[in-house]
Amino acid sequence: MRKLVLKISVSVDGFVGTDSGSVDWIFPSLSDDATAWLAQTLREAGTHIMGRPTYLGMAAHWPTSTEVFAAPMNNIPKVVFSRTLKDADWADSRIADGDLATEIARLKQQPGKDILAHGGAGFARSLSRLRLVDEYRLLVHPVVLGSGLPMFADPMDLKLISTTAFSGGAIAHVYRPA
């Protein structure tokens, strides 16, 4: 069975975006070694999943990008979870509009490499609240936002699997539910 891995950037105080949803605060600490870690995480995926807002932003950016993340984002199949989106025009994308837990269970049963979930905050919280995430890959950036979009909404015990510090000050923490 495939694992569902949630990869997301987070501030030291647990936010994945500012109150307005901005994520510009991640870039100052996104060093070459952190970028390489993120790129490797993307390449290890067999399927990328995301909610509608993240899909729309990525679909507008990655098809014409030459950045290091472009190839794995464009070439690996994508599933967007939405009940309102009618078309998924980004190459190798499809829409899942059924029950989130049922759709994830179906994806986990398919052969292949792990499923990589991309935030937004709402999608990440939904996956966590339903206990669908098998592994959390949190890239913690050395910034305190004070307020914003929280990563978690419910208490959860996690087991630390690994920690990697990067030259720009960000730290990758890999956790599994305890």
Side-chain angles (χ1 to χ4, degrees):
M1 181 184 296
R2 301 196 295 174
K3 286 188 310 195
L4 175 59
V5 176
L6 174 62
K7 175 212 58 77
I8 197 162
S9 287
V10 62
S11 66
V12 169
D13 53 346
F15 297 107
V16 297
T18 64
D19 290 321
S20 67
S22 172
V23 294
D24 291 344
W25 50 271
I26 71 171
F27 298 111
S29 59
L30 199 55
S31 57
D32 288 344
D33 51 348
T35 298
W37 181 85
L38 286 169
Q40 181 61 32
T41 296
L42 294 175
R43 285 191 297 272
E44 290 173 357
T47 304
H48 293 288
I49 66 170
M50 60 202 78
R52 181 191 49 80
T54 299
Y55 174 83
L56 292 173
M58 288 187 171
H61 179 78
W62 292 120
T64 58
S65 175
T66 58
E67 296 170 57
V68 67
F69 305 130
M73 290 308 302
N74 288 319
N75 300 332
I76 294 172
K78 293 157 282 295
V79 178
V80 55
F81 287 82
S82 175
R83 289 194 169 98
T84 59
L85 191 65
K86 300 301 176 206
D87 296 307
D89 297 331
W90 186 10
D92 214 357
S93 295
R94 73 172 181 85
I95 299 169
D97 61 1
D99 175 72
L100 182 61
T102 302
E103 294 282 353
I104 294 295
R106 192 174 301 136
L107 284 171
K108 285 183 174 184
Q109 293 299 322
Q110 294 173 356
K113 296 195 257 180
D114 290 339
I115 303 157
L116 185 64
H118 300 270
F123 186 59
R125 281 193 307 271
S126 293
L127 294 170
S128 291
R129 186 176 297 119
L130 293 170
R131 304 291 197 237
L132 300 173
V133 178
D134 301 300
E135 184 173 284
Y136 292 87
R137 294 188 189 175
L138 308 180
L139 187 57
V140 181
H141 295 266
V143 62
V144 174
L145 297 178
S147 67
L149 305 173
M151 169 68 212
F152 295 102
D154 301 316
M156 181 183 305
D157 290 328
L158 301 172
K159 178 182 179 188
L160 181 64
I161 303 303
S162 68
T163 300
T164 307
F166 300 109
S167 61
I171 300 173
H173 296 287
V174 177
Y175 293 100
R176 292 196 183 121

